[in-house]
Amino acid sequence: MIIIRQNILKDPKSIITGLGSKFAIISDENVSPIYGQALLKDLSKLDVEAFLFSFPSGEIYKTRATKERLEDQMLEAGLGPDTCVIALGGGVVTDMAGFLAATYCRGIPLVLIPTSLLAMVDASIGGKNGVDHPLGKNLIGSLYEPDKILIDAGFLKSLPLHELRNGFVEMIKHGIVGDQRYFESLEKYPSGLLSADSPLLERMIAQSCRIKSQIVQQGTGKRHLLNFGHTVGHALENLTQYELSHGEAVAIGMLVESQMAVNLGHLKPSSLDRIKAVLAKYTLPLKLPSEISIDALLNIMILDKKSINSRPRFVLINEIGSPLNCRHVEEPVIKNALQWMNDALCSH
Ligand code: ADP
Ligand code: ZN
């Protein structure tokens, strides 16, 4: 159940109604002092037991070791199966707390309160959670639906712009793979949207959640459409050792994968220009830090989890709002699009 509402923290009772009387708020060390402490205090005033557990912020802490530490702390606090987890934070926190809730005492109730734009429109929706491993991201995790997802765009007032951008990229992606009209709204409204307290942003978040939910509900056959831009994007993140943020890498990935669709005669070149323009409007730099080795990138894409028989697969776009399936692309077409990327997006 997704609830979109303002000032969620001002009404702590509504967060916990129907979910018992013991609550473990899980957060990270950035979000905890801004919102976690206040929520702990407010819950403690109600007739419930509340605890706050936080871990250092950042993807590098999304590990089994962190999960174990949180579990130890919760067990030492005497928390049992009658505890509800409240995840309060970005995607790292919602992934970590979701996985923890799925396995703690064989599964306990879970409320997600995403505080980053990426977590609101992407990470919280669809029930996937997990932790990273040195061999890859999200390799260990589960599918576990939260009891409630509470979205409040007011949290974004404290989110740095570069973090907002990561969310915008996934919203643009949702338009491209799922809803042409949504994409057109993003084209129309960019500058106002950048202010975190605009009602328009709240509406666009709600629609983005709806598009992702609908795609997820159609099953695994459709869910892969959400990987648009991500075959190239993940490989770029990996090759640049995360010098590019997820949003920046996926934005470039969407352009390269769109270029493949243009080269194969599916997508109109003018539509690629629109995708590029909308990404630029949301202040995505669309620049490579240095020229990328095409062979190195291809090798990483071959290891991508969507590859079959060592052949990478991509979500190709027929038109904005109308994707084709996830499919193999012949190597010369991939190399051609990657060369285009180096020529167009590398200033060195
Ligand atoms: P993402 O949400 O992009 O998957 P994270 O969970 O790491 O990734 O969140 C990105 C960064 O933003 C982290 O440093 C996190 O602590 C911080 N953050 C999340 N929400 C807020 C917020 N509302 N205000 C300030 N910082 C936030
Ligand atoms: Zn993504």
Side-chain angles (χ1 to χ4, degrees):
M1 183 178 33
I2 304 174
I3 299 166
I4 300 182
R5 197 187 315 137
Q6 285 168 12
N7 298 319
I8 278 167
L9 292 188
K10 294 223 168 94
D11 185 9
K13 222 177 189 156
S14 71
I15 299 175
I16 59 169
T17 325
L19 293 167
S21 60
K22 279 192 194 168
F23 295 88
I25 306 165
I26 295 184
S27 192
D28 75 16
E29 285 173 5
N30 283 340
V31 177
S32 196
I34 321 180
Y35 305 111
Q37 302 284 358
L39 178 61
L40 177 69
K41 221 163 118 199
D42 290 342
L43 288 184
S44 306
K45 284 186 207 148
L46 303 172
D47 197 16
V48 298
E49 268 184 81
F51 300 79
L52 173 62
F53 304 97
S54 50
F55 60 96
S57 81
E59 187 81 26
I60 53 163
Y61 292 101
K62 206 177 91 174
T63 58
R64 284 184 286 183
T66 303
K67 179 171 178 271
E68 227 173 87
R69 217 167 297 132
L70 292 167
E71 287 160 348
D72 289 349
Q73 289 170 358
M74 286 175 60
L75 290 167
E76 281 156 18
L79 296 173
D82 56 345
T83 309
C84 172
V85 167
I86 301 177
L88 180 69
V92 168
V93 168
T94 55
D95 274 5
M96 167 68 65
F99 186 28
L100 184 149
T103 59
Y104 194 81
C105 296
R106 301 201 178 94
I108 56 178
L110 170 68
V111 176
L112 300 183
I113 309 183
T115 60
S116 73
L117 184 59
L118 185 94
M120 292 179 192
V121 299
D122 191 13
S124 309
I125 317 289
K128 276 192 184 176
N129 57 46
V131 295
D132 300 334
H133 183 276
L135 290 177
K137 281 170 81 171
N138 298 320
L139 289 181
I140 300 150
S142 75
L143 263 176
Y144 192 68
E145 278 296 340
D147 295 81
K148 270 190 220 173
I149 305 170
L150 298 167
I151 295 180
D152 176 356
F155 287 116
L156 302 177
K157 284 181 203 147
S158 54
L159 191 73
L161 174 64
H162 64 273
E163 297 294 347
L164 266 182
R165 281 193 199 120
N166 288 331
F168 281 128
V169 172
E170 306 291 348
M171 290 164 78
I172 293 166
K173 180 193 78 180
H174 289 157
I176 298 172
V177 301
D179 189 333
Q180 182 199 341
R181 285 183 49 204
Y182 182 71
F183 182 89
E184 286 166 3
S185 309
L186 287 169
E187 276 180 316
K188 226 167 37 195
Y189 299 128
S191 47
L193 262 191
L194 284 173
S195 103
D197 48 3
S198 99
L200 192 58
L201 179 56
E202 187 179 281
R203 214 176 325 137
M204 296 306 278
I205 291 170
Q207 286 180 32
S208 193
C209 293
R210 176 186 49 79
I211 297 170
K212 177 158 182 188
S213 303
Q214 280 171 353
I215 291 175
V216 169
Q217 276 161 19
Q218 290 174 61
T220 43
K222 284 279 178 217
R223 190 166 190 151
H224 66 249
L225 295 179
L226 297 165
N227 286 317
F228 174 57
H230 281 65
T231 308
V232 173
H234 281 152
L236 279 172
E237 277 183 285
N238 188 319
L239 195 65
T240 62
Q241 301 201 316
Y242 298 90
E243 195 178 325
L244 289 174
S245 71
H246 182 69
E248 288 164 358
V250 170
I252 294 173
M254 293 201 290
L255 291 181
V256 175
E257 295 180 17
S258 298
Q259 179 64 36
M260 287 179 202
V262 169
N263 288 348
L264 289 165
H266 300 303
L267 186 72
K268 290 198 296 272
S270 59
S271 299
L272 170 56
D273 291 341
R274 284 173 66 195
I275 293 173
K276 194 168 178 181
V278 90
L279 288 167
K281 268 181 183 164
Y282 289 88
T283 69
L284 266 301
L286 304 177
K287 281 240 171 307
L288 290 172
S290 56
E291 190 156 310
I292 298 293
S293 153
I294 292 177
D295 287 330
L297 206 65
L298 247 175
N299 279 334
I300 297 174
M301 291 192 292
I302 286 168
L303 296 175
D304 187 279
K305 60 181 187 293
K306 294 180 291 304
S307 289
I308 297 180
N309 298 330
S310 301
R311 293 172 68 204
R313 297 196 307 156
F314 302 88
V315 176
L316 295 180
I317 300 299
N318 208 17
E319 200 29 83
I320 290 168
S322 132
L324 301 163
N325 290 335
C326 193
R327 53 177 69 185
H328 295 296
V329 171
E330 295 304 325
E331 201 169 295
V333 178
I334 304 175
K335 285 189 161 173
N336 182 301
L338 293 176
Q339 189 57 52
W340 170 87
M341 170 185 82
N342 269 334
D343 294 343
L345 307 179
C346 186
S347 46
H348 304 283

